[in-house]
Every structure is written in C-alpha cells, then in structure tokens.
Amino acid sequence: MDQLKSPLKKKRILEKIISIIQGLGRELQMNADLLNQAHENSLIDKDLGLDSLGRVELISRLERSFKIELADDVFSQAETINDLLNEIVKASPAPDQLLRYHEKIPGKKNTIKRFPPANIETLLNVLEWHHQHNSQKVHLRFYSDQEIEEGITYQHLYHEAQKISSSLQERGLKDKERVSIMLPTCQEYFFSFFGIMMAGGIPVPVYPPTRPGQLQEHLKRHEKIFNNCQTVFMITTREIHRLGHLLKDHVPEMRSIFTPKDLASPRQLKPNKKLSSSDIAFLQYTSGSTGDPKGVTLTHRNILSNIRCIAKAVKITTNDVTISWLPLYHDMGLIGTWLLSFYYGLLVVLMSPMQFLAKPERWLWAFHRFGGTLSASPNFGYELCLKRIKKEYIEGLNLSTWRVALNGSEPVSPSTIKRFSHFFSSYNFSPTAFTPSYGLAENTVGLTFPPHGRGPLLHHIDRNTLMKKGLFKEINQSSSQSMEVISCGNPIIDHQVRIVDPWDHELPSNQVGKIQFKGPSATPGYFNNPEKTKELYRDGWLETGDLGFIHDGEIYITGRMKDIIIKAGRNIAPQELEEMVGNIPQIRKGCVVVFADKDSINATEKLIIVAEIRELTKQEQSTIIKEIQALTVDLLNVGADDILLVPPHTILKTSSGKIRRASCQQLYQMGKLKTNLNKGPFSWHLPKVEVLWKYVIGRIGHILQVTKNWLYLIYIYPLSFLLLPPLALSIIIAPYQKKWFLIQKGVPIFLKLAGISVRINGLDILKKNPGPCVFVANHSSYLDGPVISSVLKRPVTFIAKKELQKNLIIKWILAPLHTLFVDRYNPEKAIQQISFLKNELKEKAISLFFFPEGTFSRVPGLMPFHMGAFHMASELNLPIIPITIHGTRSILREGELAIPRRGTISITIGEPLICKKSKEDLGKDHWSQAVKLKQLARKTILDHCHEPDLAPKGD
C-alpha cells in the first residue's frame, strides 16, 4: 500500500471511502441525509445505519476498489470511517491467486464403525460412549486459509470438559443451576458446554458481542435473559469478564463470571453427574429477541429425538463430513449442525460467522478441501455467496461431494435456490442437494424435511387467490398474478403438523391457516414463563406462530402471525423498539410502527421504522433520524434500513387504538408512505382510505367465509340425521343383493346433497374385468368404505380389522355385508381366516376388498402395506386392482369427525396387476409373487394419491 501512503494523500483516500459508502447507501435505499453528512468520525452503524450484511458489502467494495486484502476482524472491529481509513493504509496487497484454497486435506480414515445405540438417553451418555469407543477420532477442526489445526478428538473433548466440570463443582455449582456461555466459535465453547452438563448444570448459550465498542450495550441487552434463566455463573471472554461487575449489579442470582482459562485447572477431577432423558439439557433463547425473553426448555429426550429424526431425513452415513460457519448460540448451528454431527461421530469443520461473512468463498472451499457432504445455512448465506463470490475466487473449485444443503431458519427464497444451483452447477454442485426445511426452537430445531435427494419442489400459484381466499391455486408462470412457493417437505418421523383456523379447527389441504405441531421433539414449555407456555399449547398441539398450507402432504410457509422480523437470521420483535423510539421527545407517543419489508438485494428482510412527528426543520429531522438509528443499534445490534418521519395521523390504527402493522407495511410497499411533512396530514387521506377499504373488504371476506362454514354445519347435521339412519337401517335389514343396491343409490344421493362431488377415473377398467379379483385401496377416512361401495357397482367382501367389531353401529352395517374381521397384528392368523373364503370366491365369483394399510390417521401419507391381500391374490391367482382415493381425508378427518367439510373426492381405478408365473414358480411359495404385487400396487397408488410415502425404504 505504499502508493496509498505517499502519492495518494489520506484525504483523497477518505473521500473515496465516503464516496463508496454513499454509493452503497443509495443502492440500499438508506436515508440520504445520513449519507450526505458522512465524515471521518461517523460511526458505521449508529450514524450510517449499516447492518452486518451492509458492512460485508462495504468491506468487499473497499478491497476491490483499493486492490487490497483487509484482515477478517476489520469487519467486526472497525467502528468509524477513520478506522477503515487506517486499516486500508496498512493493508496488504490483494493476492493474485487463491492457490492456498486448492490444497485438499488428507483426512484419516473414518474409524466410526457404528453409531451410538438407539437406547442411549442423554447427550452426556453420547459423549461417554464416544470417549469409550472413538476416543482418538477427530471430531472438530477449525478452518483457516493456510494451516489446519490438528483438531479436537472425542478424548480431548471429554477430558477438557471434565476439567471445567470439576472446577464448577468446586466453585459451588448445584444440580440444575443455569450457567450462561457467551463465547465466540472456539474450542473452549465445546469444553464449556459439556463441562456444565457434566457438573449437573444447565448450559444457556448466549450470543457474544461482535464489536468492542458495544460490550456494555450488549450486556445490558442480555440482562433480561440472565434474569429469566436465573443464571448463577457465566463463562465468557476476558473483555466481558472485566465488565462483570456491571452485570452482577443487575442480575441478583449471578454469583461469578469466569473465562475458560479460569476453569481449566481444577484441584481434583470429580465424577460426572448422572442425568436422565427427562432432565433439561439446555435452554435455547431465540437470537436477537428484544421483548420479554422466552427460553425454550429442551430435554435430552427432545434433542436426541430430533437429532435421530433429522438423521433419517438426510440419510446420515459414517462417511459424512459437516462444514459449518453457523453461530453456536443459534439452534441451527448448535443442534442441527454440531450436536447432530457429534451424535453420529462425524468430522465437523468449523469457521466463525465472521470468517464466512468476510469471505464466503471459504465455506465452499472447505467442501473442496475436506470432501464436505453436509451443511446448513439461512437463505441469506446462499445469497451472500451469489453476491460476493467472483469466478476468479473459485477457479478449480469442486463441490461434487456436497449432498445435503439445508436451507432454513428464515424464509426460503425460490429465486436464491434457482440462481445458486445454476451458478454453482459449473462447480459440480448438484441441485438435488438443496433441502429447504422448516423448523423452530420449540421443536428443538427441525420439523419438516423434503424427501432426501429429490431437490426443491416449486409451484407457481395465484397471488390473489392466496391473499384474498387463503387458497392454493396453481397458475401459469407467465401470469402477472403468479407467485412462486417452495415446499418445506413432510413432518419428520413420529411428528405431526396440521393447519387450523382461528378456532383451532383443522382445515383441509390447500387452505392457509395457522401451523400447529406435536411430537417427541416438542418443548415442555418456556423456562420460568408459565403464561407464555400456556399460550404455546392448544389441546396437546403447539403453536408455531406461522401461517401456511399443506399440499400433497407437504408444508408450504406463507407468512407469520406474529410480527417477528427476521433479518440476517436474527429474530427482531418490533414492540420494544416502537416503545423506545416513541420515548424520543419530538416523536408522538404511541405513534411509531416497526415492520419488515423484503430485501431483494440480500434476500432477507429490511427493518423499517415509521414515526409521526409535528412540523420540524430539516436539521431537526436529521437529528431525530440519527437518534433513532443510534437507539436501534443499541437495542438490536442492527441498524434500520429505512426511517421515515411522517405527519400526525399517518400511521393506521384499529378502532381500539392498536397499530395495524400489516396495513402500514402495505402502504409502504405501495410507495404511498413517503416523508412529506410540509403538506400536512390531508395528503395522506387518500392512501389511508384505499388501505382501509382493502382492509374492510378483507374482513368482510373473512366473516363471510366463517359464516359459510357455520351455515354448512347447520345444514349438514340435520341432513345427516335425516338420511343416514334410515339408509343404515335399510342396509341392515334388506336381503344381501338389495343391500348393495341401496348403497349404490343412497350414498351418491347423500354426497350430492352434502355438496361433495365424486370424480371417477377408470370405470371402463371395471367393466372390462367383471370377474373375481382383489381390490386394494389407500385409506384416509371413514368415508372411504361407503364411497368405494357406491362406485364399484358389484358386491365385495371387505376384509376389516377386528377392532371395528367393538363399534356396534359399524359392526351392524358391515357384518350383513359378509365382511371378514381379521387380526391385523397377526398376519399368519389373518391369512388363515381369509383362506376359508377360497371355495366361496371361486364358486360365487366374489371379489375381496382390502385397505392394506390396515388403518388410517389424520396425517397425510401412504402407510406401510400389510401382505394379506397380495398373498391371497397370488395364492388364488387373482388380479389385483389398485384403487386410489383422494379428498376424503380433508372432508372427514380423523380427530375432526364433528366438523365435516365440503370438497371433491377423486377415485382412480388402476389397471389389473397380475404376476405371471413360470412353470418353476407353480406349486412353490407365493411370497415372492405377493411382494411383487404389493410393490406394483403401492407404486400405482402413490402416483395418484398426492400424499407422501410413509413406508420405510424397500416396503
């Protein structure tokens, strides 16, 4: 940088820096007044409003403009423009090539021969198991551009954790007391995490400060978390340790603050505490929470359940290698990346978030160098790679080993996924690696995943239909109303997801509503917060706070009920910021709104602040904007992307005085929310009327829909009581052949009157095959039997589970139809029972009807098939006719039988399936033939049922 020190004066360098900042600010649509007043002592965050992603882009542009390479810590350490100037002057010239990245790291052969046993109960048990079986296996490596550290083995992790455990016990840590960890990504983090657990304490991960100048503000922001969890100790850095006295004055329960070094030399090693699966493993506080903190309680059972389910979803193998830059205080980084890999004995290559943000190509080169296979990132991480990585940075890059690229934690952008796949396909990245997922801390981390290896599933849907009616409707991609939505997959094994209306009644497929879930990974509640825990649960189901719909059994996220703003992977609650900004004297109290807007540049969300003020001079307005920005950074550790000062009575409110954030956001997105204080409030009347009118229309539409649903229930109940009992009684007492006549005539009449239409495909197949056969169909609802009976136009013998005999009404109807009740849990006995029908089948040409799943549930999906139907077809040499039923689950769903709905049922009759037998097969065991028939029938039904395959691979 000699050319910058001598011929080029510092003043000219400073002018160029400011010019680059102003250019970036204009692109980000930042406040023009703040940009125009930039000077050498301007604070990058408080005065200019650049958030972490803005800083990343600024550092990149400075490096390119001055042809230098800045140190990684400039990103976090630089406070002012003058700090940037000094760093630029002393920086090294940019390297011509990035050959240092090309070297592949020869790894030792994976010595993991088997995974921990499935009955292992706690994370501490997992560590002890690995210490016993894989003590020399390298588990963690810390990435750098040049040299690679030896890494941390399971033995090293165990012994260092034991030292910290013993030190904490010596200092008086009692069982189940909370210990906060405020450390960056470093080896001491992992030692501390397990050390606390070994000592019987409960770890509480908390995110560390990123800039030295913010230490005091950072600690102040976390006082609520420390008080909520009643932390007694904190393990942190030397810099924060020096300020510990400030924290202890405001956190009564906190007894001591330590650095990892303070705990590294115990007087005597103490034994590990015994833990159970129901014990709290740690508390997970959502990152960036600004309201009353909610510590998600996670037990060892919760965590191990979620880890095992995720592993099945992504098909973990012993040869997988995890690459991660995610922060360890965040659930995706801590559980979804580290603890998942820890449990299965995988090598984890770690870099800090700052290393990634400074040079995102490092993340990709780590796959090349270590043969990485697994990684996860919020959407903005993939977008950052697209924005920042130039082709010259990745010449020779090979991403062929990357098989799972999880995208979650914030809204998934279809555009980002498509552009990332297209750009990096030249570097052997497989688009099928992309795994858009959905999860939340309240379910440990992961809740839904798409089928492994399928890749993203996108749909173009009608925006108007979605927004106005809350319905999924596919539309041509070229339409102006087309919007793209992406599937986040199916619920993980043993977990359920449902969509409900505001009264918690389950909605049918393709309809938008609240997302609720349940399963073994679900939290018992929020720590020390019974009120919020009560709000979380709804009759055994947990609220996600998100909106979405289910289509073909997969979940699609459409928005959030809560007003949380997700910015660069952090959750920001607007209420506290609104209150703080409203305390500024010149701003009207209670007249501040904070909301999100889409950031098309960074594929995340913008933070928008709108505040009402009375008429002020330009200079006064500029001062207020600076004050709001500084307050925002102090409170949230991120700056606002746009701050608008507007006239009184601009911000829309309800009749009770509550701020209507969604309507204000809509005004902003329409471009009708602009600072124009001179014209007064009258100029805002028209847009307010427009938005108010749209709001009224939307509310009327909602009320009409609710009224329509209630009217249907008022109609359907009398209709059912009027028609169904006489029909059932007639079927019971009528002669056998008449029974089927009554079913075939009566059921369609009832369905038509109930507003349920039935579409049948393949009736000609039935006409072409009038002889005896074995019908098999998927099972979704109690409607299936009556609907199928009315469609087949012939008598059949139903094979039903014997449990139905306990229901007298069903037994009275089915028994006269010659239904055979079998024990589905004893296949051999069931086949023997069916075998008694052989002669009758041949003589009377009667067909059998099976629901091979044996039962049904409210969860969409085709369950495993039992073998009885296929064994019988093979033994009697009868054709299998597969029938697919779609729509009955939504009309009469298990668990919601009291709330039937209108809808459309489709019945698809497949071609007969016959396994041709060779002469060698005749007289032999029919099992192999039956298996082939089952596989063929299952494939046919899966092709038409529009639901996921819930059977284990190979069923």
Side-chain angles (χ1 to χ4, degrees), residues 490-650:
N490 320 113
I492 52 179
I493 293 173
D494 299 328
H495 292 69
Q496 298 183 43
V497 171
R498 70 175 186 173
I499 308 296
V500 299
D501 63 17
W503 298 273
D504 297 324
H505 298 145
E506 191 159 1
L507 294 170
S509 298
N510 301 328
Q511 191 164 334
V512 175
K514 299 190 298 178
I515 303 172
Q516 296 179 340
F517 71 96
K518 63 166 59 172
S521 304
T523 175
Y526 298 116
F527 187 79
N528 202 19
N529 200 334
E531 290 184 6
K532 291 295 182 184
T533 299
K534 188 176 179 181
E535 292 175 10
L536 178 65
Y537 276 85
R538 293 285 188 277
D539 194 25
W541 293 82
L542 285 80
E543 297 276 13
T544 65
D546 294 318
L547 298 170
F549 62 87
I550 292 175
H551 174 70
D552 288 355
E554 301 195 24
I555 190 83
Y556 294 77
I557 313 301
T558 60
R560 293 187 297 278
M561 291 184 300
K562 40 192 178 178
D563 297 310
I564 293 295
I565 301 163
I566 298 181
K567 184 171 176 63
R570 299 184 63 234
N571 298 331
I572 298 169
Q575 292 84 357
E576 186 177 7
L577 179 57
E578 289 170 347
E579 182 179 350
M580 298 291 285
V581 172
N583 289 334
I584 296 174
Q586 297 90 337
I587 292 175
R588 301 184 72 223
K589 191 83 171 174
C591 297
V592 180
V593 61
V594 176
F595 54 83
D597 188 42
K598 185 176 180 181
D599 186 344
S600 57
I601 296 175
N602 293 313
T604 180
E605 291 186 344
K606 289 183 178 181
L607 177 62
I608 312 299
I609 301 174
V610 183
E612 290 184 2
I613 62 170
R614 303 199 181 275
E615 191 168 339
L616 296 172
T617 65
K618 281 281 186 182
Q619 184 60 42
E620 289 171 328
Q621 292 176 37
S622 179
T623 301
I624 291 176
I625 288 173
K626 284 185 179 180
E627 192 172 350
I628 293 174
Q629 189 66 275
L631 187 151
T632 303
V633 172
D634 284 344
L635 187 65
L636 307 178
N637 202 28
V638 297
D641 295 279
D642 200 2
I643 299 172
L644 297 182
L645 302 180
V646 297
H649 312 299
T650 297

Side-chain angles (χ1 to χ4, degrees), residues 796-801 804 813-821:
V796 295
T797 294
F798 281 99
I799 309 300
K801 56 186 179 183
L804 291 178
I813 296 173
L814 291 181
L817 295 175
H818 297 178
T819 299
L820 182 63
F821 297 94

Side-chain angles (χ1 to χ4, degrees), residues 88-106:
I88 288 171
V89 168
K90 67 181 184 181
S92 304
D96 294 332
Q97 299 180 44
L98 298 178
L99 293 177
R100 58 176 181 259
Y101 290 133
H102 287 233
E103 177 192 359
K104 291 192 177 182
I105 307 301

Side-chain angles (χ1 to χ4, degrees), residues 12-288:
R12 292 181 61 189
I13 303 175
L14 179 62
E15 290 172 352
K16 191 171 182 179
I17 295 172
I18 292 175
S19 175
I20 292 171
I21 289 172
Q22 290 173 337
L24 175 61
R26 284 190 291 272
E27 289 180 25
L28 296 175
Q29 299 178 341
M30 292 167 56
N31 187 275
D33 290 338
L34 295 180
L35 295 173
N36 293 334
Q37 295 176 29
H39 53 83
E40 63 179 323
N41 293 319
S42 292
L43 295 169
I44 297 170
D45 47 15
K46 294 184 179 181
D47 291 339
L48 301 177
L50 281 177
D51 63 5
S52 58
L53 292 178
R55 277 175 167 259
V56 167
E57 182 60 25
L58 174 60
I59 297 297
S60 175
R61 294 188 182 195
L62 291 174
E63 287 183 323
R64 292 200 303 269
S65 180
F66 291 102
K67 297 181 180 179
I68 57 172
E69 183 175 46
L70 293 168
D72 288 344
D73 60 3
V74 172
F75 169 83
S76 58
Q77 303 292 326
E79 300 274 352
T80 66
I81 292 179
N82 193 53
D83 292 340
L84 293 174
L85 171 64
N86 293 331
E87 292 294 334
I88 288 171
V89 168
K90 67 181 184 181
S92 304
D96 294 332
Q97 299 180 44
L98 298 178
L99 293 177
R100 58 176 181 259
Y101 290 133
H102 287 233
E103 177 192 359
K104 291 192 177 182
I105 307 301
K108 294 179 181 178
K109 189 173 181 181
N110 198 316
T111 56
I112 297 289
K113 294 181 179 178
R114 63 187 179 95
F115 294 142
N119 61 354
I120 210 161
E121 290 194 343
T122 70
L123 289 170
L124 192 52
N125 293 152
V126 177
L127 177 59
E128 291 166 344
W129 188 89
H130 278 304
H131 179 238
Q132 180 180 355
H133 295 86
N134 303 303
S135 62
Q136 299 307 311
K137 168 73 169 64
V138 174
H139 170 47
L140 297 164
R141 287 187 184 274
F142 293 89
Y143 184 86
S144 67
D145 294 342
Q146 286 83 29
E147 297 179 3
I148 303 297
E149 299 177 18
E150 273 300 307
I152 299 174
T153 62
Y154 279 102
Q155 183 183 64
H156 188 190
L157 175 60
Y158 183 87
H159 288 161
E160 293 300 321
Q162 201 171 41
K163 292 177 185 177
I164 289 179
S165 167
S166 299
S167 292
L168 289 172
Q169 291 182 64
E170 287 174 358
R171 286 162 169 79
L173 180 67
K174 298 175 183 176
D175 288 354
K176 298 184 169 103
E177 286 189 319
R178 277 70 59 198
V179 181
S180 297
I181 307 174
M182 188 181 279
L183 291 170
T185 300
C186 60
Q187 60 181 8
E188 289 80 10
Y189 188 101
F190 304 97
F191 304 154
S192 300
F193 184 87
F194 274 116
I196 296 165
M197 201 175 286
M198 284 179 172
I202 298 174
V204 184
V206 184
Y207 83 93
T210 55
R211 288 185 277 283
Q214 296 178 341
L215 293 182
Q216 284 186 261
E217 294 94 334
H218 186 84
L219 290 175
K220 186 176 180 181
R221 281 199 298 274
H222 285 80
E223 285 177 9
K224 288 184 179 180
I225 290 179
F226 297 138
N227 280 309
N228 176 257
C229 70
Q230 299 172 328
T231 190
V232 297
F233 295 148
M234 182 165 73
I235 304 176
T236 187
T237 61
R238 287 198 311 272
E239 292 77 15
I240 295 177
H241 182 266
R242 296 191 189 105
L243 298 173
H245 62 283
L246 299 175
L247 190 59
K248 284 198 275 185
D249 291 342
H250 296 89
V251 183
E253 299 285 338
M254 188 174 287
R255 302 199 292 266
S256 296
I257 298 175
F258 306 110
T259 67
K261 189 175 180 181
D262 297 333
L263 303 172
S265 302
R267 291 191 296 270
Q268 180 182 354
L269 290 179
K270 296 182 179 294
N272 301 339
K273 292 297 180 76
K274 299 297 181 183
L275 304 175
S276 72
S277 61
S278 60
D279 285 333
I280 298 174
F282 60 89
L283 302 181
Q284 178 72 54
Y285 285 87
T286 54
S287 61

Side-chain angles (χ1 to χ4, degrees), residues 10 17 96 128 137 162 170 183 240 312 317 322 345 364 383 430 486 656 663 740 782 791 937 954:
K10 278 193 174 184
I17 295 172
D96 294 332
E128 291 166 344
K137 168 73 169 64
Q162 201 171 41
E170 287 174 358
L183 291 170
I240 295 177
K312 289 178 182 177
T317 73
T322 303
L364 304 187
E383 188 67 29
S430 171
I486 191 164
S656 60
S663 298
W740 290 99
Y782 284 117
V791 166

